[in-house]
Amino acid sequence: MSTKEYVDKVIAEVKAKTAGETEFHQAMEEVLNTLVPYLDKHPEMIKAKILERITEPERTVMFRVPWVDDKGEVQVNRGYRVEFNSAIGPYKGGLRFAKQVTLGTLKFLGFEQIFKNSLTSLPMGGGKGGSDFDPVGKSDAEVMRFCQSFMTELCKYIGPNTDVPAGDLGVGGREIGYMFGQYKRIRNEFTGVLTGKGHEWGGSLIRPEATGYGAVYFLCEMLKAKGDSIKGKTIAISGFGNVSWGTAKKAVELGAKVVTISGPDGYIYDPEGLNEEKVAYLLELRGSGKNIASPYAEKFPGSKFIAGKKPWEVKCDIAMTCALQNELKGEDAKALIANGVKYVVEVSNMGCNAEAIELFHKANIPFAPGKAANAGGVATSGLEMAQNGEHLYWTAEEVDRQLHNIMINIHDACLSAAKEVGQEGNYQVGANIAGFRKVAKAMMDQGIV
Ligand code: 2IT
């Protein structure tokens, strides 16, 4: 059997035993398909069934999360933690609270996290969790009661050397605070069991900005590799949450023109570009808890709201997905290419579908996959863990400096891994191989576990 046939067989078997987990299938196929040239040179990994093992989470917990809403009615959600791989460190990854969350969603995110965390060069395994709890329109008291109930169960499975969750969609500083408080109360210990904490109680400076800053640092390296620079470039970004905010903040600071943001309701086109005031307004928009982007257009005349559409139809040099999985599909890629896009950076996890990625490759447009470009968030979580372990705080400059170095190293690791398998300039292949080989080697060293 050729390596390609072997990989196809593993993909088919994984799909058959995880029926219905479509987002996980997409993420798993995307990674496994790119590993063929690497596995060709490593038959010992095929023999040790590394692919069969790495696609099966070490452990998954699913649990009931009962809570009482403001009207006194009992609500029941489902909580999850997928502890995917601990070969190179404790499970690490965010918690996502969103209505549409399923086991398949969290398995895709947990699977991506294995390779992303490996790319950071920090000792972190891969995990992800969350709930189908919908934070939209919930009161502060409801969010607190939900978080406390969620943590009452989750606290049995996590710990600073076991599994360290963080935020993701629907989980920010407020939710991390409520969950940390409950963990501390039940376990009677003050430890770095979560990252993204408030700075007063163990959180790292720059963690809120880190995902967006890191993505822009990665973009700057891509530009540099082509003898180009970010200054004066027109950038279309999606979303208006934490990741979009950090991305816009750093891009604007470095002299780019960010002309779009978006929400589930549509997108904002701001031809003058965002400035410091508009970037700061994103925090207000998110804080409103309404999950819509349209109020931006009322606040800033000169910008307009386009209902029900995505920002990928505007003319831009650089497109950066900062919202959700599969938010940029084949037809969006075609529109971007027709409008002359020069670089695409996936900042959301699996922001582009397979067809879109293929189109960017065919058009010779440098494409950065999320697991490389958005790794700055979890990398800074790793730096938060290091500070907690040392019982120290580092300055913002120190954290930012380390984040910047990590992103430069990830960029270079992607390019050199791609080159080794004869696919020069292919960040997707490079990220997957560079992320995979470290975890696979660790698994080989640790025996059949
Ligand atoms: O997707 C991600 O990398 C995150 N949501 C951050 C995870 C973390 O542990 O900081």
Side-chain angles (χ1 to χ4, degrees):
M1 198 185 331
S2 72
T3 307
K4 172 85 178 85
E5 282 162 352
Y6 160 70
V7 167
D8 286 344
K9 180 174 143 282
V10 174
I11 291 172
E13 284 168 1
V14 173
K15 281 185 169 176
K17 64 177 176 185
T18 57
E21 297 174 6
T22 49
E23 291 171 324
F24 171 56
H25 298 166
Q26 184 186 339
M28 182 261 314
E29 265 192 282
E30 189 273 313
V31 172
L32 265 51
N33 278 325
T34 59
L35 298 178
V36 174
Y38 179 77
L39 292 170
D40 254 338
K41 292 189 221 142
H42 293 278
E44 77 282 6
M45 288 184 182
I46 297 177
K47 184 150 186 287
K49 296 217 160 68
I50 295 292
L51 291 191
E52 290 86 337
R53 285 192 278 149
I54 211 168
T55 49
E56 185 70 33
E58 289 174 15
R59 181 181 306 102
T60 302
V61 288
M62 288 172 63
F63 50 93
R64 178 166 73 205
V65 189
W67 57 284
V68 180
D69 71 17
D70 287 346
K71 293 194 217 96
E73 211 173 296
V74 176
Q75 301 287 340
V76 184
N77 288 100
R78 185 177 289 167
Y80 306 84
R81 187 71 183 167
V82 182
E83 297 183 333
F84 226 121
N85 195 294
S86 63
I88 63 167
Y91 310 107
K92 181 80 196 90
L95 296 169
R96 177 173 289 196
F97 292 170
K99 198 158 95 185
Q100 63 277 27
V101 160
T102 63
L103 178 62
T105 312
L106 298 174
K107 279 183 70 180
F108 118 62
L109 289 161
F111 188 70
E112 286 285 290
Q113 203 83 42
I114 302 171
F115 310 104
K116 182 197 311 200
N117 293 4
S118 164
L119 284 169
T120 66
S121 74
L122 300 173
M124 300 183 289
K128 200 88 188 189
S131 174
D132 60 354
F133 173 73
D134 182 7
V136 179
K138 297 292 187 296
S139 73
D140 196 54
E142 288 175 324
V143 169
M144 182 178 76
R145 287 196 293 274
F146 174 80
C147 288
Q148 290 178 339
S149 181
F150 182 84
M151 185 52 87
T152 300
E153 183 61 23
L154 185 69
C155 77
K156 300 169 187 168
Y157 310 100
I158 62 176
N161 296 307
T162 306
D163 183 354
V164 183
D168 192 81
L169 277 184
V171 179
R174 177 181 62 166
E175 290 75 16
I176 293 293
Y178 293 147
M179 288 190 276
F180 185 80
Q182 186 73 348
Y183 181 89
K184 184 163 62 65
R185 185 184 185 198
I186 296 174
R187 301 280 292 254
N188 193 26
E189 57 181 30
F190 192 112
T191 64
V193 68
L194 296 167
T195 59
K197 299 184 289 298
H199 186 56
E200 297 76 12
W201 39 282
S204 177
L205 293 170
I206 306 292
R207 178 63 189 89
E209 292 87 349
T211 310
Y213 277 24
V216 175
Y217 294 149
F218 193 96
L219 166 68
C220 288
E221 295 307 301
M222 295 170 80
L223 288 155
K224 209 191 282 172
K226 294 273 174 203
D228 207 345
S229 120
I230 191 170
K231 231 178 161 59
K233 291 283 186 302
T234 298
I235 306 185
I237 71 174
S238 57
F240 67 92
N242 171 262
V243 174
S244 315
W245 166 75
T247 302
K249 194 165 181 287
K250 185 52 81 177
V252 170
E253 185 191 309
L254 297 179
K257 192 165 160 187
V258 175
V259 293
T260 62
I261 59 154
S262 72
D265 53 335
Y267 79 94
I268 297 285
Y269 179 56
D270 188 344
E272 280 169 26
L274 272 70
N275 56 21
E276 219 176 298
E277 184 197 354
K278 292 168 180 175
V279 170
Y281 175 72
L282 297 185
L283 295 177
E284 215 178 290
L285 200 55
R286 178 158 51 105
S288 75
K290 290 199 190 106
N291 202 22
I292 48 172
S294 59
Y296 181 104
E298 291 148 37
K299 172 102 179 160
F300 300 110
S303 68
K304 63 177 178 184
F305 173 66
I306 296 97
K309 290 275 173 75
K310 292 188 195 155
W312 317 127
E313 59 186 28
V314 307
K315 188 168 170 53
C316 61
D317 302 309
I318 299 160
M320 302 180 84
T321 65
C322 300
L324 269 178
Q325 63 269 23
N326 291 322
E327 56 172 310
L328 198 162
K329 300 199 164 74
E331 71 239 42
D332 305 311
K334 282 179 197 153
L336 282 167
I337 294 166
N339 274 325
V341 75
K342 296 187 192 77
Y343 303 86
V344 177
V345 183
E346 202 179 48
V347 194
S348 44
N349 291 308
M350 206 165 76
C352 300
N353 75 1
E355 189 194 354
I357 298 173
E358 201 48 47
L359 286 163
F360 294 135
H361 285 325
K362 281 208 179 105
N364 248 325
I365 292 162
F367 165 77
K371 65 174 75 65
N374 76 23
V378 73
T380 308
S381 278
L383 301 178
E384 183 169 325
M385 290 167 74
Q387 292 169 77
N388 293 164
E390 282 185 317
H391 302 280
L392 285 175
Y393 284 105
W394 302 344
T395 62
E397 292 71 32
E398 176 59 19
V399 177
D400 194 29
R401 185 186 66 75
Q402 293 206 30
L403 166 64
H404 199 161
N405 273 338
I406 288 170
M407 298 314 298
I408 293 172
N409 290 339
I410 296 175
H411 174 270
D412 296 352
C414 291
L415 283 190
S416 61
K419 196 170 173 186
E420 276 172 42
V421 296
Q423 302 205 40
E424 211 157 330
N426 189 327
Y427 289 98
Q428 183 198 9
V429 167
N432 288 342
I433 292 178
F436 172 82
R437 66 181 164 199
K438 183 173 150 193
V439 179
K441 280 180 190 156
M443 289 173 73
M444 294 296 293
D445 290 346
Q446 292 169 19
I448 310 301
V449 293

